[in-house]
Amino acid sequence: MNIRFFRPSERLQPFIRYYWVLKTNENLDTLTFPIGCPQLIFHRLNRFYIPELKALQARFSISGQTNFPARLQSSGDVETIVVVFYPHAISPIFNIPVSSFYNVEIDGFALGDHRLNILADDILINDNAETAIKTIEKFLLSRLDESGLYNFNRVNASLKHLFINKAISVENMAQNACLSKKQFERVFFNSVGMNPKEYSKVVRFQKSLWHIQQGSRNFADIAYSCGYSDQSHFIRECRSYSGLTPSELLKAQPVYSDLFASPTLNSI
C-alpha cells in the first residue's frame, strides 16, 4: 500500500488541509470515523464499498460531516485522490448548502455543475496523480469566492479556540466570532454543516485519537485533556463514533487522528 500526502498551494492553504493519494493492489477493510472535514474523493480505479450505506462510493463523490463510523472495503486495484478541506471551507468555494452533505455520500456528477463534472472527468482519466492535483488546484482557485470569506473568517476564529480548548462553550465560541449565540449557530451550521455543539464532540473525539496515536494509554488522562466529564464519558463517545471502546479500538487497527495528525507533505 502506498499513501502520499501533498501540500496545497499557498493561496489554498487556509482552505485545504492536504491532498492524499492511495494506491494499492491489496484487499482493504478499514474502519473509519467522523473526521470533522469534508472531502472530495476521486476513484480512478476500483471504488470503496461502504457496508453501512450498502453502496459503492461514486467514482467522484463528496463526503460531508458525519457522526457515525463506517467501513471502507475494496478488493484491490485502487487509486484514489482525496481533497481534505478545512471544516468550514466548502462554502467559499462551492455554492452548495453544506448541510446537504450531512451523513451522506453525494455523487458529485449528480450536482449538475458542468465545470465540476469536467474537472472530475479530467481527474479520472489523468495518468499522473501530481498533474491531477495541479488540475484540482487550478479549479479550486477559480471557484474561490472572496465574498464568502466574511463568515469564513468568523467561523475560523471560533474553530481556532475550539481546537485548543475542546471544552469551550458555544457561547464563548460565539464571542470569538463576534456574533450572538443565535447568529453564530446559524452561521456555523451553514459553514460547517453541523451545529457547533455536535461538531465539538467530533473534535474532542479526534483529539482523543491523537493522544492514543501518540502512545497514551491512560484513558482517564485522555478524558481530562480532551474535555470529557470523566473516563466513562470518553468511553461512551468513543463507542458512539467508532463502534468500539478505546481498548477494543487499539486491538482492531492502528489509531490515527485525521483532524489533528500532521502527515509529511510533499510538494506538488
Side-chain angles (χ1 to χ4, degrees):
M1 182 186 302
N2 180 16
I3 302 178
R4 293 182 294 161
F5 297 87
F6 294 90
R7 181 184 298 104
S9 63
E10 184 176 356
R11 182 69 185 92
L12 286 173
Q13 285 176 16
F15 308 95
I16 309 297
R17 287 201 67 216
Y18 50 73
Y19 309 93
W20 60 268
V21 179
L22 168 66
K23 291 185 180 182
T24 184
N25 290 317
E26 303 171 11
N27 293 342
L28 292 178
D29 187 355
T30 302
L31 179 63
T32 65
F33 323 112
I35 72 170
C37 295
Q39 302 168 89
L40 299 185
I41 304 167
F42 302 89
H43 292 294
R44 289 144 64 88
L45 297 173
N46 283 347
R47 296 173 285 164
F48 292 135
Y49 178 72
I50 305 174
E52 289 77 10
L53 301 178
K54 298 181 180 179
L56 284 169
Q57 280 186 326
R59 291 195 71 204
F60 165 44
S61 64
I62 303 175
S63 177
Q65 301 291 354
T66 62
N67 64 2
F68 64 91
R71 303 202 75 88
L72 297 180
Q73 300 174 339
S74 79
S75 56
D77 200 18
V78 168
E79 183 178 2
T80 298
I81 298 175
V82 180
V83 185
V84 181
F85 290 87
Y86 280 102
H88 53 318
I90 285 285
S91 294
I93 295 178
F94 297 99
N95 187 23
I96 305 169
V98 184
S99 57
S100 63
F101 303 142
Y102 181 65
N103 276 348
V104 294
E105 293 274 350
I106 292 180
D107 185 339
F109 287 112
L111 295 176
D113 186 323
H114 179 66
R115 290 181 58 206
L116 186 59
N117 290 350
I118 292 175
L119 169 72
D121 284 333
D122 287 346
I123 301 308
L124 294 174
I125 64 173
N126 199 300
D127 290 335
N128 182 274
E130 288 89 341
T131 302
I133 292 173
K134 289 179 181 178
T135 301
I136 295 171
E137 286 242 316
K138 184 177 180 180
F139 172 83
L140 294 178
L141 284 167
S142 74
R143 295 294 288 264
L144 184 58
D145 183 1
E146 300 289 343
S147 67
L149 296 184
Y150 185 67
N151 283 336
F152 174 88
N153 291 331
R154 286 182 179 273
V155 175
N156 190 58
S158 68
L159 286 172
K160 285 182 177 179
H161 287 274
L162 173 61
F163 290 159
I164 295 170
N165 176 14
K166 273 64 65 182
I168 190 173
S169 67
V170 176
E171 288 80 5
N172 284 339
M173 291 175 68
Q175 290 175 7
N176 292 324
C178 299
L179 293 169
S180 70
K181 181 174 180 289
K182 186 175 181 180
Q183 288 175 317
F184 173 71
E185 288 176 328
R186 175 181 54 81
V187 169
F188 191 96
F189 181 75
N190 290 338
S191 299
V192 177
M194 183 180 275
N195 70 58
K197 186 174 181 180
E198 184 177 20
Y199 188 74
S200 296
K201 293 180 179 181
V202 172
V203 170
R204 70 186 178 198
F205 169 67
Q206 280 288 329
K207 190 63 176 182
S208 73
L209 295 183
W210 182 85
H211 282 287
I212 295 173
Q213 179 186 340
Q214 300 305 305
S216 176
R217 299 295 181 264
N218 188 321
F219 298 146
D221 283 353
I222 292 174
Y224 176 78
S225 298
C226 297
Y228 293 99
S229 57
D230 54 32
Q231 181 175 331
S232 296
H233 185 199
F234 164 48
I235 292 172
R236 286 196 305 273
E237 287 207 355
C238 183
R239 185 183 288 114
S240 173
Y241 285 126
S242 72
L244 302 169
T245 68
S247 296
E248 291 169 340
L249 183 57
L250 278 166
K251 295 176 183 177
Q253 66 184 45
V255 175
Y256 181 84
S257 171
D258 290 279
L259 188 59
F260 286 99
S262 300
T264 301
L265 301 178
N266 299 291
S267 298
I268 304 170

